[in-house]
Amino acid sequence: MALNNYRKEDKVLLAIDCIIFGFYQEELKILLVERDFKPAKGEWSLIGGFLKMQENLEEAAARVLKNLTGLNNVYMEQVHCYSKIDRDPKERTISVTYFALINIEHHCKELLRQNPIKWFDIKDIPTLIFDHNIMVKEALTLLRNRISCKPIGFELLPEKFTMRQLQKLYEAILDTELDKRNFINKFNSLDLLTKLKEKDMSSSKKGAFLFEFDQNKYHKKVEKGFSFKI
């Protein structure tokens, strides 16, 4: 088929849907938006938009995220492509999903003030439009796989954190209780955390030491063949 015959082919819309995860008060959260147009006006939805002619998928996902949240340089990863013919009742639309990780402590109040959006506990997600609940389920599965072999969980934590916060993060994402001693020993063996002299005094009178993730040490270890595994 000649290239100039492309114009004879069917045209479809390509959407980008972002599954935005956060971690707050020891719970894994997801950011949803109340849809303000038909179809499904007033229902909860993932944050999305459409691919433009002059951008690739990664650029579109970053634009969609920034337009609603104002955030740049957020960890994002492509999840899946959804192409069921009748998935959108208005137009034939194919959707590519990305999950994003946001530090709620830095951005939560600002986001909620400026937009018709809300954080939900991952266990209390409402019924979403179209196939968005399936998208969330598959993004969560990928996140669980990734957090076990890549240190992306630190994207959800403040720069300085306690070992309890780190353990609760993993428990929230993996939806399982972890043995405290084994968990601490595992991270100590990875040698990627810097123990600070500062303490978090909010949980007890004695306080808990704060830690930082050493990004530079991690990259140097990876260059030598290091494999992050929890």
Side-chain angles (χ1 to χ4, degrees), residues 45-191:
S45 166
L46 295 173
I47 294 169
F50 292 97
L51 180 73
K52 296 184 181 298
M53 291 294 292
Q54 303 302 321
E55 60 186 4
N56 60 36
L57 288 172
E58 287 72 25
E59 291 168 341
R63 171 180 55 80
V64 168
L65 183 68
K66 183 178 180 181
N67 283 350
L68 194 64
T69 69
L71 301 179
N72 283 312
N73 301 319
V74 172
Y75 181 91
M76 301 186 77
E77 184 171 344
Q78 188 178 128
V79 182
H80 194 58
C81 178
Y82 299 84
S83 60
K84 188 177 178 181
I85 294 175
D86 59 351
R87 57 172 304 277
D88 187 321
K90 191 171 184 179
E91 297 281 351
R92 177 69 200 281
T93 305
I94 295 172
S95 179
V96 177
T97 54
Y98 284 78
F99 78 70
L101 304 180
I102 286 181
N103 183 330
I104 294 182
E105 185 173 297
H106 288 170
H107 306 297
C108 184
K109 292 182 180 179
E110 179 182 350
L111 294 182
L112 295 180
R113 188 185 305 119
Q114 296 179 358
N115 300 290
I117 56 181
K118 180 180 177 181
W119 289 102
F120 287 83
D121 285 354
I122 199 68
K123 297 179 181 179
D124 298 322
I125 299 175
T127 299
L128 305 179
I129 67 168
F130 311 154
D131 50 1
H132 287 197
N133 284 94
I134 296 174
M135 293 177 174
V136 172
K137 182 179 179 180
E138 295 186 350
L140 184 56
T141 297
L142 180 60
L143 175 61
R144 286 170 175 164
N145 290 335
R146 289 290 186 266
I147 199 173
S148 298
C149 59
K150 295 176 66 177
I152 62 174
F154 295 103
E155 302 287 344
L156 295 167
L157 291 173
E159 183 177 345
K160 300 176 183 180
F161 52 86
T162 64
M163 287 302 295
R164 175 184 171 83
Q165 286 176 304
L166 183 60
Q167 180 175 341
K168 290 300 180 181
L169 170 68
Y170 273 80
E171 290 180 338
I173 294 176
L174 298 174
D175 192 26
T176 188
E177 187 175 344
L178 301 172
D179 180 80
K180 179 180 178 181
R181 180 178 296 179
N182 289 341
F183 183 83
I184 292 175
N185 288 341
K186 178 62 179 179
F187 262 98
N188 285 338
S189 69
L190 294 175
D191 189 29

Side-chain angles (χ1 to χ4, degrees), residues 184-200:
I184 292 175
N185 288 341
K186 178 62 179 179
F187 262 98
N188 285 338
S189 69
L190 294 175
D191 189 29
L192 294 173
L193 302 183
T194 300
K195 185 176 182 180
L196 307 176
K197 295 181 179 180
E198 303 171 56
K199 282 188 174 184
D200 173 17

